[in-house]
Amino acid sequence: MRWRSALFLWLLLILLPFLVSAESWLEVSEEAQAIFPSATRMKASSDTLPVTEIYQLDQPIGFLFETDDLTDFPGFSGDSINLRVGLDTDGHILGIALLGHHEPIFLHGLGEKPLVDFINQYGGLSLKQQVLVGSAQQRIASDDIVYFDGVTKATVSVMVVHDTIISAARKVAQARLTGFGSSVQARLNTDTFAPKSLDELNDEGLLYRWQLSDDDAAAALGVNASRLEDARDPQQPDTVPFIDLTVAVLNPPMVGKNLLGESEYQRVMDALAPGDVALLVGSRGGYHFVADDFVRGTTPARISLRQQGSPLALRDADLFHLQHANFALSLAPFERVNIFTFSDQSGFDPAVPLSVGMTVQLVKNHLESEHVFVDSTYSLPQSVLVAVPAPEKPLPLWQRIWLDRQAEIAVVALYLVLLTGVFVFQHRLARFHRFLTPMRLVSLVFVIGFIGFYAQGQLSVVNIYTLLLSLWNGFDIQVFLLDPILFVLWTYVFISLFLWGRGLFCGWLCPFGAMQELVAIAAQRLRLRQWKVSEAWHQRLIYVKYGVLVVLVSTAFYQLSLAETMAEVEPFKTAVTLVFDRSLPFVIYALALLLISARVHKAYCRYLCPLGAGLAVLGRFRLFSWLNRRSECGSPCRLCEKHCGIHAIHKDGSIDYNECVQCLECVAIISDEHRCVAKKYGKNRKSKRATSSSDESVVVVVSPHVS
């Protein structure tokens, strides 16, 4: 029984490492299998990087990760766009899937299909390639540049998607793959040549020789020198160093041509693949960089090359299989000599020191051995380097968008300057009241056509969600800078609220409000009878929009996606953003509101618009109430009240600035001598007083005729 127990314990100890490691392996998920069909198992990252490592047996074949775990690029909604990305070990994006987003244009506008189609273009992309999204410039045929189609009306969102994908994938590549670090500082000089002797090559650092005696090697490895005896080449005497390596980067002619000679150097260079770097390694010591059973053309197990902690994948070029190594200079004979290659795309930077390492196998007992590592540092001299200019740091996304849309920004800014002039000098301009109607028509058409359809400058209650949630979760101005037109309009509207109230936006900047007004003008020309809303019902209905606002904002803090769905009470996306190119229920709803406005002037603005309600709340703190009034307004004159389509003038002649859209029609009436009844009444009263005074001052005396 004892021997069975001992055997069981012995087997348990042997299997323990496998049992422990097996705990970290996971069954391949359906999502991983879809991207990596050859995957047999996977496991979570062993460090803090939030990725899942995908394996085919024991061979790593890629990584699976979510972009939200690695990046935080806020989209137009203020939230990030989360994607699942599969990256292979060569830095190619094998697969990508949309997991979640809150972009209004796709949720409640175009639908998700255009977004999914855009994302699918990234399948197969190499992180070494440059991506141009929606580029209108002449396309250059190049393997290094790829062109992806954008999504019309969703420029901001797709650019956020692009930055999210590339930034997250590069973070994984930089941490897990070679060749995806920071930009190189230099390249190898393959043009300059000057004859050099062996001493000159050594003195100038063009050849690197690494020697360690047994004692030095034992100290570096942290073992007793006696333990190195079994690792030594038995054919080498004890007097030679334990490690004696010569290393040379052959690509620069200053090294390769002097060391190998013209013909041999050319043979080596011709054998390299484009971008490969040739590294000659020769050994004369007691422990060689390759074992006796090393198979040519494979990766060496003993020697390694690293830069900044990342390994450079060495592979034997097998150039000395059919012929012996030949040198133009008289070098001491090597016991082993190989030329290894690695790609410069692996992140090799000639300006960064190289770590040349050796893994030494030491026998512990007759059953097991251990591997210990020692390394040394080699820096290439400046004579074989050519400096590479540092690439310009790319502008932040919001700055790129502002530069791309600077023409639109300029046109909108010019309109806002003119609009400000109209409001500041409205009293002086009142004398030109006959030009108000054509000016207003031009303004309405511009707001609909340019600000609305072209520049996509329709403000929305969703923007209020974004602002409030940003203030709640930590304000980031870059969220709002992503759309320059909306940023400019919101900044202007916010300032104007404290000057003139909500009317400036609702009457002069809202595209859907302009649509309603044009419909009302057309109805007036067609002599359509208006539906009269009684004063009592009007006073009740104007508070409905405030209730809608409270419900929407409260819901946004509870569940943003639900609030975005409820925000469809606004017809802005259907009528303005998508120009009625949407499913039938949304189109019917938007058209119904416009048709109602033909009978009830701007009914949506007056009774339902949550955006107008939000603006009216801040508009209560305005500094100016500039619309002219007369003492006769309301009693006896009520002409302005009857002409106010928005029903913002009370019976006493005062103006309700919380409802007024400041169309300036009352300003035109009160300034028109032929229309303003109060003015006429004042003139008639003055005329009567003047006539009465004249009658009282003239006395006619009639004398009797005396004959």
Side-chain angles (χ1 to χ4, degrees):
M1 294 296 293
R2 289 183 178 180
W3 69 268
R4 291 182 180 178
S5 300
L7 179 61
F8 175 79
L9 291 175
W10 179 251
L11 291 174
L12 183 63
L13 289 173
I14 293 175
L15 295 174
L16 185 60
F18 299 95
L19 295 174
V20 173
S21 63
E23 293 177 359
S24 63
W25 293 107
L26 304 171
E27 184 179 354
V28 179
S29 64
E30 293 181 1
E31 296 82 2
Q33 197 77 58
I35 299 176
F36 301 95
S38 61
T40 57
R41 54 182 177 173
M42 65 184 194
K43 67 176 181 178
S45 174
S46 58
D47 56 20
T48 58
L49 190 70
V51 301
T52 301
E53 300 171 357
I54 311 298
Y55 286 77
Q56 183 180 21
L57 300 179
D58 292 329
Q59 181 68 31
I61 59 174
F63 309 93
L64 195 66
F65 53 92
E66 292 185 16
T67 56
D68 266 3
D69 294 333
L70 296 158
T71 61
D72 186 20
F73 287 93
F76 190 69
S77 66
D79 280 351
S80 61
I81 300 171
N82 192 25
L83 305 114
R84 182 189 299 112
V85 181
L87 187 72
D88 72 7
T89 53
D90 293 323
H92 291 87
I93 296 175
L94 295 186
I96 191 166
L98 178 65
L99 297 182
H101 72 98
H102 293 284
E103 297 304 286
I105 186 66
F106 295 115
L107 283 176
H108 312 299
L110 299 173
E112 288 191 345
K113 185 178 184 302
L115 177 59
V116 173
D117 291 342
F118 173 77
I119 290 170
N120 287 340
Q121 296 178 97
Y122 286 80
L125 176 73
S126 170
L127 295 183
K128 298 294 184 182
Q129 293 175 302
Q130 179 185 3
V131 178
L132 299 179
V133 178
S135 176
Q137 61 180 307
Q138 182 179 2
R139 299 193 171 190
I140 303 171
S142 172
D143 293 335
D144 297 328
I145 302 175
V146 294
Y147 298 84
F148 288 168
D149 295 328
V151 179
T152 305
K153 301 182 183 298
T155 304
V156 172
S157 296
V158 299
M159 294 185 75
V160 170
V161 169
H162 170 74
D163 281 1
T164 298
I165 295 172
I166 298 301
S167 296
R170 279 181 177 165
K171 282 187 178 180
V172 175
Q174 288 170 353
R176 289 290 184 270
L177 307 176
T178 58
F180 298 95
S182 57
S183 300
V184 297
Q185 306 170 44
R187 61 177 177 82
L188 293 172
N189 186 347
T190 57
D191 300 322
T192 304
F193 172 75
K196 300 284 183 181
S197 65
L198 181 60
D199 290 339
E200 288 174 327
L201 291 177
N202 285 318
D203 293 342
E204 295 178 16
L206 298 172
L207 295 181
Y208 175 64
R209 190 171 184 182
W210 180 25
Q211 289 182 313
L212 286 177
S213 66
D214 285 23
D215 291 338
D216 293 337
L221 294 169
V223 298
N224 294 325
S226 60
R227 295 192 59 192
L228 302 181
E229 295 178 1
D230 292 334
R232 269 184 165 274
D233 183 350
Q235 298 180 359
Q236 295 294 320
D238 294 340
T239 55
V240 301
F242 182 75
I243 293 177
D244 188 354
L245 297 181
T246 297
V247 178
V249 178
L250 297 176
N251 296 61
M254 197 80 74
V255 180
K257 192 176 291 188
N258 278 308
L259 192 62
L260 302 176
E262 178 75 34
S263 60
E264 181 68 3
Y265 172 75
Q266 195 60 50
R267 182 179 82 91
V268 172
M269 293 299 105
D270 291 343
L272 299 180
D276 275 2
V277 178
L279 184 79
L280 184 138
V281 182
S283 174
R284 289 183 287 266
Y287 189 82
H288 301 300
F289 59 89
V290 290
D292 293 336
D293 58 353
F294 173 69
V295 179
R296 291 187 179 275
T298 64
T299 299
R302 291 184 177 180
I303 189 170
S304 64
L305 206 64
R306 292 175 176 268
Q307 270 194 332
Q308 297 178 321
S310 298
L312 299 174
L314 294 177
R315 192 176 188 86
D316 177 39
D318 199 17
L319 291 172
F320 298 140
H321 177 61
L322 298 176
Q323 67 181 72
H324 295 292
N326 295 315
F327 298 96
L329 299 176
S330 299
L331 298 174
F334 294 122
E335 296 296 328
R336 302 279 194 278
V337 61
N338 288 78
I339 292 179
F340 298 104
T341 63
F342 57 90
S343 174
D344 64 354
Q345 296 298 315
S346 62
F348 172 61
D349 186 350
V352 176
L354 288 164
S355 173
V356 182
M358 287 283 285
T359 300
V360 181
Q361 184 177 4
L362 300 177
V363 175
K364 294 184 68 175
N365 52 53
H366 65 283
L367 292 176
E368 58 182 338
S369 61
E370 65 175 336
H371 294 83
V372 288
F373 181 78
V374 62
D375 64 351
S376 181
T377 301
Y378 169 50
S379 297
L380 288 166
Q382 292 295 322
S383 58
V384 293
L385 303 182
V386 177
V388 174
E392 294 184 4
K393 186 178 180 180
L395 292 173
L397 175 59
W398 71 269
Q399 291 187 25
R400 283 179 275 156
I401 295 174
W402 279 68
L403 289 174
D404 290 340
R405 303 187 68 182
Q406 54 186 334
E408 299 171 41
I409 297 170
V411 174
V412 171
L414 177 61
Y415 174 74
L416 295 180
V417 170
L418 295 175
L419 186 60
T420 303
V422 169
F423 270 72
V424 171
F425 301 106
Q426 57 182 277
H427 299 145
R428 297 183 182 180
L429 296 174
R431 68 185 69 175
F432 305 104
H433 52 80
R434 63 184 181 277
F435 298 110
L436 175 64
T437 298
M439 179 191 73
R440 182 125 180 92
L441 287 174
V442 170
S443 174
L444 295 175
V445 172
F446 173 81
V447 168
I448 297 171
F450 187 84
I451 293 182
F453 294 158
Y454 183 78
Q456 295 290 288
Q458 173 70 68
L459 304 189
S460 167
V461 71
V462 176
N463 306 138
I464 298 179
Y465 297 170
T466 305
L467 175 61
L468 294 178
L469 289 173
S470 178
L471 293 173
W472 182 265
N473 298 320
F475 183 75
D476 183 4
I477 195 172
Q478 292 193 31
V479 173
F480 306 95
L481 291 172
L482 287 172
D483 193 312
I485 300 300
L486 291 186
F487 182 83
V488 170
L489 289 175
W490 266 116
T491 302
Y492 182 83
V493 168
F494 183 77
I495 295 172
S496 69
L497 285 175
F498 297 100
L499 296 176
W500 301 291
R502 65 169 279 201
L504 186 143
F505 167 77
C506 295
W508 297 85
L509 287 173
C510 179
F512 190 75
M515 287 184 184
Q516 293 179 88
E517 193 155 343
L518 286 181
V519 169
I521 293 173
Q524 184 180 7
R525 297 289 175 87
L526 295 174
R527 301 182 183 277
L528 294 180
R529 184 178 178 182
Q530 295 292 295
W531 295 338
K532 181 67 175 177
V533 179
S534 67
E535 180 66 22
W537 274 106
H538 171 74
Q539 291 301 324
R540 295 188 184 99
L541 291 174
I542 59 176
Y543 291 104
V544 172
K545 58 180 177 286
Y546 294 97
V548 174
L549 174 67
V550 171
V551 171
L552 291 179
V553 173
S554 302
T555 306
F557 282 90
Y558 168 70
Q559 186 178 357
L560 181 59
S561 58
L562 177 60
E564 289 170 342
T565 302
M566 295 172 64
E568 287 297 336
V569 69
E570 291 182 330
F572 303 159
K573 299 182 187 69
T574 302
V576 181
T577 306
L578 302 175
V579 197
F580 297 99
D581 183 13
R582 206 177 181 190
S583 58
L584 190 59
F586 294 102
V587 174
I588 291 175
Y589 173 67
L591 290 176
L593 291 176
L594 290 175
L595 291 175
I596 291 174
S597 67
R599 295 287 191 175
V600 180
H601 188 82
K602 301 187 81 166
Y604 173 80
C605 297
R606 293 162 68 179
Y607 305 128
L608 198 56
C609 181
L611 176 62
L615 298 180
V617 171
L618 289 180
R620 294 176 182 272
F621 303 99
R622 67 188 181 280
L623 295 176
F624 307 110
S625 300
W626 280 12
L627 298 179
N628 283 340
R629 297 281 84 200
R630 294 178 179 273
S631 59
E632 295 87 357
C633 292
S635 178
C637 180
R638 298 178 62 185
L639 183 62
C640 291
E641 177 195 345
K642 293 179 179 179
H643 279 78
C644 181
I646 204 73
H647 204 168
I649 300 180
H650 297 305
K651 290 183 178 181
D652 62 1
S654 62
I655 294 176
D656 184 355
Y657 281 89
N658 296 321
E659 301 300 317
C660 176
V661 297
Q662 301 205 26
C663 63
L664 303 183
E665 181 65 26
C666 59
V667 175
I669 292 175
I670 208 169
S671 303
D672 190 346
E673 297 180 355
H674 303 288
R675 297 172 66 193
C676 181
V677 177
K679 223 169 191 181
K680 289 182 179 180
Y681 178 79
K683 281 189 174 183
N684 291 337
R685 192 166 55 182
K686 287 181 181 179
S687 177
K688 289 180 179 179
R689 283 201 301 266
T691 303
S692 175
S693 299
S694 176
D695 290 343
E696 292 176 359
S697 61
V698 177
V699 177
V700 179
V701 178
V702 180
S703 301
H705 179 70
V706 179
S707 54

